[in-house]
Amino acid sequence: MDVSASQDDGWSRDFYWGVASSGYQSEGSAPDSNWKRFVDRSAGRDGVDEYRESVDFRHRYADDIRLAAGLGVNTYRFGIEWARVEPSPGRWDETELAFYDDVFRQVRAAGMTPMITLNHWVYPGWALDQGGWAETRTADAWLEFSRKIVRRYAGQDALWVTFNEPLIFLKNEQKVGALNATRYFAAQSNIVQAHRRAYDLIHELDPTSKVTSNQAYITGVNGMADWFFLDQVKDKLDFIGIDYYYGLSIDNWTVFAAATDKFWDVKLQPEGIYYALRGYHDRFPRLPLYIVENGMATDNGKLRDADYTRGDHVRDTVYWLQRAKADGMNLIGYNYWSLTDNYEWGSYRARFGLYTVDALTDPALTRRPTDAVPAYQALVAAGGVPQGFRLKRGPGTCSLVDGLNSCLNPAKVDGPLRPLK
């Protein structure tokens, strides 16, 4: 059975090849927000870097969109910052709205589908002052922001992401001092209800649109983690958005380094993306699957391993996507995180970019291509790796990405591959 996305199902592409970014992490010129306040009072302590201008997407977006188009991708994910366009309650900044209008226009003009994130962990300082996401009025105000944004771009083939990684959002709200632990479940409930209302709102304003909330795949315990959000909104999703980064197996427990933000110390296991997809396919067989984020962190751009580069990693990863497709999983898209290095929530040390940027030492903020740029270009053009491709890094021993299921029912390493087209 062919389970590809098709225009008959309301999808404009057979496969979405993309790159991803977020507003606060890349834009610079940061307005007052929960994260700006945290960084302003924390920079220089506990490993927190000054924000400065990040990579200045705010003024370099045209060049970055051209870099994305040069990869051959057909999808560009970006965020619209609520704090930027509504600096005080009910006051809309038309200059900033025009900025996003031009980002949207240029993405479309370059032949790419815009994927728009409405909440990527950042919100206005005035909303924090009224209690943040533990207060229902913050959810109500965010819905009004969402209404204004969706109206601007309705009917133009955008994909919509309501909340980026809701569970990690709540964790980071505690990190930045915006959420008291005693009000955790109030905030969690408000985010669940806000997504449910936003889904209906988006479909009211843009009936043919597709809506998700991308989930951070919590390796090993994802089924339990999904109770906090995904299981409560599964009837209000048009596709399952997945952020997958790190594996786990009985011979690799380095995933725990990610808990302390030392992402570069995690030994990567690309095969885990197959098990993440298979787990969601088994749970939600009627919903398409989209890898909204996937990538590789390096420590200030240094090689992680002498013989395993960013290009090697993206090729191995796409191999496993093709295996998933060949095994009947309804995979419709893949975004590489991220187009450029950016501000990784307090630090410039973790580098994820296809293009690297020395934000702290290079005043010109030069975008320098990594070896993953030609690798990703070739993958997009061909729809993946060729038949007979040999993995640079083979699977670990007894994967535990999807609990025991991924160990007891391992994926076949050899077999036919299906192009992602």
Side-chain angles (χ1 to χ4, degrees), residues 22 249 372 392:
S22 83
S249 61
K392 186 70 178 286

Coordinates of all heavy atoms in Angstrom, one line a residue, residues 22 249 372 392:
S22 N 14.6 29.0 14.6 CA 13.6 29.6 15.5 C 13.8 31.1 15.6 O 14.9 31.6 15.2 CB 13.6 29.0 16.9 OG 14.6 29.6 17.7
S249 N 21.2 2.5 23.8 CA 21.4 1.0 23.6 C 22.2 0.5 24.8 O 22.8 1.3 25.6 CB 22.0 0.7 22.3 OG 23.3 1.2 22.2
A372 N 28.3 19.0 5.6 CA 26.9 18.5 5.5 C 26.1 19.3 4.4 O 25.1 18.8 3.9 CB 26.2 18.7 6.8
K392 N 28.0 4.6 7.5 CA 29.3 4.9 8.2 C 29.3 4.5 9.6 O 30.4 4.1 10.1 CB 29.5 6.5 8.1 CG 30.9 6.9 8.6 CD 32.0 6.5 7.6 CE 33.4 7.0 8.1 NZ 33.5 8.4 7.9

